[in-house]
Amino acid sequence: MAPDTSTQIHNIGYRSYEGARLGRAYARTSLFSQSLRGAYGLGRSAKSKVLPMILFAVMCVPALIIVAVAIAVPGSTDLPIKYTTYALTTQVVIGLYIASQAPQSVSRDLRFKTVPLYFSRPVERVDYVLAKYAAMASALFILTATPLLIMWIGALLAEFDFAHQTKGFGQGLVSVLLLSLLFAGLGLVMAALTPRRGFGVAAVIGLLLIPYGAVSTVQAVAVSTGSDGAVEWMGLFSPVSLIDGVQAAFLDGTSAFPGGEGPGTGVGIVYLLVVLGLIVGSYAALMARYRKAGL
């Protein structure tokens, strides 16, 4: 049989890449930046910006009102609400934000099976998890710290005591930092369990908001039956009450526990250890989840 002479090799102009290879660090930073911007709808459709921007505005408007009231009332020497109390007062808004944005951050990658494509690049599983976790925690920190910054600037404009306001502002920042790390971890874990965004939203709301109502009810029942000693231990079973307990014990916060008395320093250490354990556990759970999802 005569050889086939119709086969030809064409040079269509492809060349090897000779530029700099930026590596894992650049890819990790890019993924973090993209995820953080996406948490506020930046770089996405106009419809995607509506909810996060509305929630951001809802978080900031009460802070502006608080500052206006403090300045308008003659003889005021302090803000009517502590910096550490603000995030707990607006916990529903924070819960709705993380419930809407955590699934957006991770569920689409799972639903469209793009996670293996990430891991086929220099990006490794630890890079993906760290970038997503850091981006969501940063987005939450921006959401919760901005109202505190508004209050602090307003207090200084009202010529309230600088040292007192700065101390309270610093305590508030520590509180919302812990809250951001805790809520971001728990929210991402719940969202990563399912590629269905609707299920992820419901799961995050169920984990972050419902336990607080149950714990508060049980605490009130305990107080009414004379079991006051059990109140501080019951707070360990809700993410919101955990932050409440930590700031009451260490950050001069006013507790929302029945009677307004949070845990003391001894029990507060237990609260802090549980919070740190949940943060580390959330990271470990995400690493385990993406060990399977990356296949």
Side-chain angles (χ1 to χ4, degrees):
M1 180 181 293
D4 184 2
T5 58
S6 64
T7 302
Q8 300 181 35
I9 298 176
H10 297 273
N11 181 0
I12 59 176
Y14 287 121
R15 295 188 302 174
S16 60
Y17 177 71
E18 298 177 355
R21 298 190 180 275
L22 301 176
R24 286 176 57 192
Y26 180 81
R28 183 169 56 243
T29 302
S30 298
L31 184 57
F32 165 80
S33 174
Q34 177 198 32
S35 300
L36 177 57
R37 294 177 74 246
Y40 285 96
L42 303 178
R44 299 168 60 202
S45 65
K47 188 172 91 171
S48 300
K49 298 178 177 65
V50 173
L51 182 59
M53 291 303 178
I54 288 177
L55 293 176
F56 183 79
V58 171
M59 284 291 294
C60 293
V61 168
L64 292 170
I65 295 174
I66 289 170
V67 168
V69 170
I71 294 176
V73 175
S76 295
T77 58
D78 200 356
L79 296 172
I81 185 173
K82 287 187 175 182
Y83 293 93
T84 50
T85 304
Y86 193 89
L88 298 182
T89 305
T90 55
Q91 60 175 284
V92 174
V93 181
I94 299 171
L96 291 176
Y97 178 84
I98 186 67
S100 64
Q101 299 308 311
Q104 180 277 136
S105 180
V106 297
S107 294
R108 290 188 304 170
D109 290 343
L110 294 170
R111 183 166 67 254
F112 297 115
K113 302 185 185 303
T114 57
V115 175
L117 296 179
Y118 281 109
F119 296 168
S120 68
R121 305 295 180 179
V123 174
E124 296 185 3
R125 178 164 50 100
V126 63
D127 301 316
Y128 183 89
V129 171
L130 280 175
K132 290 293 185 177
Y133 199 151
M136 186 53 59
S138 298
L140 271 177
F141 185 73
I142 292 171
L143 181 77
T144 53
T146 302
L148 304 188
L149 179 62
I150 293 172
M151 292 167 60
W152 181 68
I153 293 174
L156 297 187
L157 292 176
E159 299 183 348
F160 295 162
D161 183 70
F162 176 81
H164 176 69
Q165 296 300 322
T166 303
K167 178 183 178 181
F169 177 54
Q171 291 170 334
L173 289 182
V174 173
S175 175
V176 297
L177 176 61
L178 281 175
L179 182 147
S180 299
L181 289 170
L182 178 62
F183 277 34
L186 295 176
L188 287 175
V189 168
M190 299 307 295
L193 292 178
T194 173
R196 303 292 295 274
R197 183 175 180 179
F199 291 159
V201 170
V204 174
I205 291 176
L207 179 64
L208 296 182
L209 298 182
I210 294 179
Y212 180 72
V215 166
S216 298
T217 301
V218 175
Q219 286 177 325
V221 171
V223 170
S224 65
T225 57
S227 303
D228 294 8
V231 170
E232 57 187 7
W233 296 106
M234 293 174 183
L236 295 171
F237 298 96
S238 162
V240 176
S241 57
L242 279 170
I243 299 299
D244 187 338
V246 169
Q247 65 180 26
F250 301 109
L251 300 174
D252 194 29
T254 300
S255 177
F257 288 4
E261 294 185 8
T265 303
V267 180
I269 293 175
V270 178
Y271 272 68
L272 181 59
L273 291 175
V274 172
V275 169
L276 296 177
L278 286 174
I279 293 171
V280 174
S282 297
Y283 171 77
L286 287 170
M287 289 291 290
R289 174 69 179 97
Y290 283 100
R291 183 180 294 114
K292 178 180 179 181
L295 297 177

